[in-house]
Amino acid sequence: MKIKNQTQAKPDYHPQWKLMRVISGHLGWVRCVAVEPDNKWFATGAGDRTIKIWDLASGELKLSLTGHISTVRGLAVSNRHPYLFSCGEDKMVKCWDLESNKVIRHYHGHLSGVYAMAVHPTLDLLVTSGRDSVARVWDMRTRAPVHVLTGHKGTVGAVATQDADPQIITGSMDSTVKLWDLAAGKAMTTLTHHKKSVRSLAVHPTEYSFASGSAGGNNIKKWKCPEGQFVHNFSGHDAVINSLSLNADGVLFSGADNGSMSFWDYKTGLPFQSMSDIPQPGSLDAEAGIFCSTFDQTGSRLITGCADKTIKMYKEVS
């Protein structure tokens, strides 16, 4: 009997990434980042309680928005309205009108710090989550609470939305990932494969799958929607994964508490590049550490928010 050689899936070729720009201006840890749909600017929120808007091409500061009274932990830009949403450790969830640069709405309901948020891609819904162990779904325009998604037993530090079921995915410090039925406001599935707190989620833009990241070994996992079938681990980045980002070319980025960064072929789960965040000289409490990340709309730039109070931009080197 002949045993057929098992063929390993070959990773797609991906160019290497290199640091292209370091942007200073925040006076605290940079905790969240979001790129607007037209790819002209991006926003960052930090421990200095400010939101800053930066020109994507030049890296120049365009605007600072003040109003939060504690660390800004989450940002989201609507792709259908000129709105920027922010949330923070002050329990506040705000909607900023980008034409007047003023807060036009507050969403009241969280009982403690709000750590993550996402805007639904096709409905006027906003999802926020945080230390009170719930995710809240809001009608963006009327501010009315649509659902309170209960079931997690710890801080919900990551939330993602997509326009097909599950339309809401949450990751929690209780080490589970939940997939939610948006119509019913109930959990459809709870994924319990992670051993430690789940701090990050990244949804593939086209493929109907997502990745989750936590601390410890085998800490990054790929799942297929809608049921959340486990696909494979991304093995080798043994650190506390704070941030995952995924682009349409199938590059998954993972950034960790200790400043280690990995780039993966999303299809096979194989790493193709590893590097470290270099803290900027001159700040005494400089630490290497990645808190947040996002690809721009083209997928060819990566923006990270760091513990040395800087924003770092990476680009593909072809």
Side-chain angles (χ1 to χ4, degrees), residues 21-102:
R21 181 176 288 137
V22 179
I23 301 172
S24 300
H26 276 298
L27 303 174
W29 289 353
V30 182
R31 299 303 304 240
C32 48
V33 57
V35 177
E36 61 101 16
D38 293 332
N39 221 38
K40 302 270 195 306
W41 54 266
F42 67 95
T44 53
D48 58 11
R49 312 189 292 279
T50 66
I51 298 161
K52 291 185 185 289
I53 310 276
W54 311 87
D55 185 83
L56 189 70
S58 68
E60 281 171 25
L61 179 65
K62 291 167 63 122
L63 193 64
S64 286
L65 302 173
T66 55
H68 279 284
I69 55 172
S70 193
T71 300
V72 182
R73 290 293 290 261
L75 288 169
V77 188
S78 170
N79 59 355
R80 300 164 60 236
H81 308 287
Y83 296 155
L84 169 71
F85 297 91
S86 64
C87 63
E89 291 179 8
D90 51 15
K91 312 179 198 168
M92 290 195 217
V93 179
K94 295 173 185 280
C95 173
W96 303 79
D97 182 325
L98 294 170
E99 283 156 357
S100 64
N101 301 322
K102 290 192 166 54

Side-chain angles (χ1 to χ4, degrees), residues 14-17 35-37 39 56 205 245-253 263 272 294-303 313-317:
H14 299 289
Q16 296 283 298
W17 290 77
V35 177
E36 61 101 16
N39 221 38
L56 189 70
S245 291
L246 185 52
N247 71 11
D249 299 330
V251 174
L252 177 71
F253 165 82
F263 293 86
F272 67 87
T294 185
F295 286 103
D296 75 342
Q297 304 297 351
T298 67
S300 61
R301 298 270 188 280
L302 174 77
I303 306 166
M313 292 179 82
Y314 298 82
K315 67 173 183 188
E316 290 181 314
V317 188

Side-chain angles (χ1 to χ4, degrees), residues 119-265:
V119 170
H120 194 285
T122 53
L123 305 171
D124 282 343
L125 294 175
L126 174 68
V127 189
T128 57
S129 68
R131 271 185 58 195
D132 54 10
S133 307
V134 300
R136 292 175 186 270
V137 184
W138 310 88
D139 182 312
M140 189 187 285
R141 285 211 284 261
T142 66
R143 306 191 302 255
V146 179
H147 290 302
V148 180
L149 306 178
T150 57
H152 279 300
K153 295 184 170 55
T155 296
V156 184
V159 60
T161 57
Q162 54 183 8
D163 55 7
D165 286 329
Q167 291 177 58
I168 298 173
I169 305 165
T170 53
S172 167
M173 300 283 171
D174 65 11
S175 66
T176 68
V177 174
K178 285 184 186 286
L179 313 183
W180 300 88
D181 178 334
L182 178 56
K186 291 194 167 56
M188 300 192 291
T189 315
T190 302
L191 309 175
T192 56
H193 300 52
H194 283 290
K195 298 284 172 284
K196 295 194 172 154
S197 60
V198 179
R199 290 161 181 254
S200 47
L201 295 167
V203 175
H204 193 281
T206 54
E207 195 196 86
Y208 207 34
S209 65
F210 70 96
S212 57
S214 72
N218 280 340
N219 49 359
I220 307 169
K221 297 174 188 296
K222 177 177 174 179
W223 313 90
K224 218 167 97 201
C225 300
E227 279 92 30
Q229 287 124 321
F230 173 72
V231 182
H232 56 63
N233 285 314
F234 298 82
S235 298
H237 192 174
D238 292 335
V240 178
I241 307 297
N242 281 333
S243 188
L244 294 175
S245 291
L246 185 52
N247 71 11
D249 299 330
V251 174
L252 177 71
F253 165 82
S254 57
D257 237 13
N258 61 4
S260 58
M261 305 167 13
S262 290
F263 293 86
W264 311 82
D265 177 62

